[in-house]
Amino acid sequence: MNTHNNLSSIGAFFDFDETLLDTESSRLGFKYLWERRLVSIGFILKVMTANFFYKRHWLSDETIAAIMLKFYRKKQLEEFQQGATAFYQEKLKPRLAPNILKRVEHHHQEGHVLVLISGSIRYLLEPVAEDLGFHHLLCTDLEVGSDGLLTGKAKGPLCLDSTKRVLAAKLAKEAQIDLLSSYAYGNHQSDIPLLESVGHPHAVEPTEPLRNVAVKKNWPVLTYR
């Protein structure tokens, strides 16, 4: 592995939804569950309505995440873990953005430390990280209650906004990653704290607020293809 000043490694931090993936994993996930009659039309409509407001920046990341997490209440984590690899191979892998996937491969060849950092849920992302050779996965965990069932809430903080920066800094300290020599890729204004924490930030098909910041700060703007 390449090192910086013979002490620290260079990291490459990749957001997942609408960055490495060219869509939202939750959209594919709920469609997948709907096809298998594992989710109600009422919940789908609720998520679609929330997403409508989120796309217009009228709902925060935390609010829409809380709405989606309620789906898991009183369910067993194992039932989702068991189907995660099949879901990745069938639905997610075909939607990986070619241009960003090339960036992952480039950093891998350079010997950089690959970090998948996302607000999405661990069971969903583990097959992604394993298949693409990521060294670390920073994400949202589901809370399990005393009855062994999911509570419909996150365990610990959601991996969003400034929490991404905090988790990246913590990992950098533990794994001796030099953030000023590192790279990060994100698509949303909520990724700005993470992007600002590295020396080489990249905006991927950015939202308008992120694009404005990227242009102002002269950050590279990448497309999916």
Side-chain angles (χ1 to χ4, degrees):
M1 181 176 292
N2 293 345
T3 57
H4 180 69
N5 292 335
N6 297 317
L7 290 174
S8 300
S9 301
I10 295 173
F13 297 80
F14 287 84
D15 173 49
F16 187 61
D17 289 83
E18 296 187 293
T19 298
L20 181 54
L21 192 74
D22 70 3
T23 185
E24 293 175 356
S25 58
S26 59
R27 182 183 302 168
L28 297 177
F30 285 122
K31 182 180 179 183
Y32 186 80
L33 293 169
W34 171 252
E35 290 169 351
R36 285 154 182 76
R37 300 181 181 180
L38 296 173
V39 64
S40 69
I41 184 64
F43 189 83
I44 291 291
L45 290 173
K46 187 175 183 179
V47 169
M48 288 175 64
T49 302
N51 195 57
F52 173 84
F53 291 111
Y54 175 70
K55 285 294 186 182
R56 286 153 183 79
H57 315 305
W58 298 340
L59 283 182
S60 68
D61 282 19
E62 289 79 9
T63 300
I64 195 156
I67 292 170
M68 292 183 176
L69 286 176
K70 286 179 181 177
F71 164 76
Y72 294 100
R73 189 170 180 269
K74 295 299 181 183
K75 295 180 174 68
Q76 292 186 332
L77 179 58
E78 291 76 13
E79 65 180 290
F80 298 102
Q81 290 173 324
Q82 289 170 1
T85 298
F87 174 65
Y88 166 65
Q89 292 291 341
E90 183 180 336
K91 299 294 184 180
L92 297 183
K93 192 169 184 176
R95 298 297 299 269
L96 295 176
N99 196 31
I100 312 308
L101 198 56
K102 287 179 182 176
R103 299 296 302 178
V104 174
E105 293 166 352
H106 166 75
H107 288 295
H108 207 292
Q109 290 171 1
E110 290 294 311
H112 297 165
V113 179
L114 295 177
V115 184
L116 188 59
I117 181 166
S118 170
S120 289
I121 299 165
R122 185 170 301 277
Y123 81 83
L124 190 75
L125 294 172
E126 285 178 334
V128 184
E130 182 178 354
D131 185 48
L132 300 183
F134 279 88
H135 301 101
H136 300 279
L137 172 58
L138 303 176
C139 60
T140 298
D141 285 290
L142 295 173
E143 181 183 71
V144 179
S146 58
D147 57 0
L149 300 177
L150 297 169
T151 65
K153 298 178 181 179
K155 177 185 177 182
L158 295 165
C159 187
L160 301 169
D161 303 291
S162 58
T163 299
K164 282 189 174 182
R165 179 178 60 198
V166 171
L167 293 175
K170 183 173 182 287
L171 175 64
K173 185 176 181 181
E174 293 171 352
Q176 291 188 309
I177 296 171
D178 177 14
L179 289 178
L180 291 180
S181 298
S182 294
Y183 298 74
Y185 301 83
N187 75 293
H188 194 268
Q189 60 266 24
S190 62
D191 294 316
I192 291 173
L194 171 68
L195 295 171
E196 288 182 332
S197 70
V198 300
H200 304 286
H202 293 71
V204 180
E205 298 275 0
T207 57
E208 186 176 351
L210 175 55
R211 183 180 292 277
N212 291 338
V213 171
V215 170
K216 183 178 179 180
K217 293 178 176 287
N218 201 30
W219 293 349
V221 175
L222 306 179
T223 58
Y224 294 141
R225 289 170 174 78

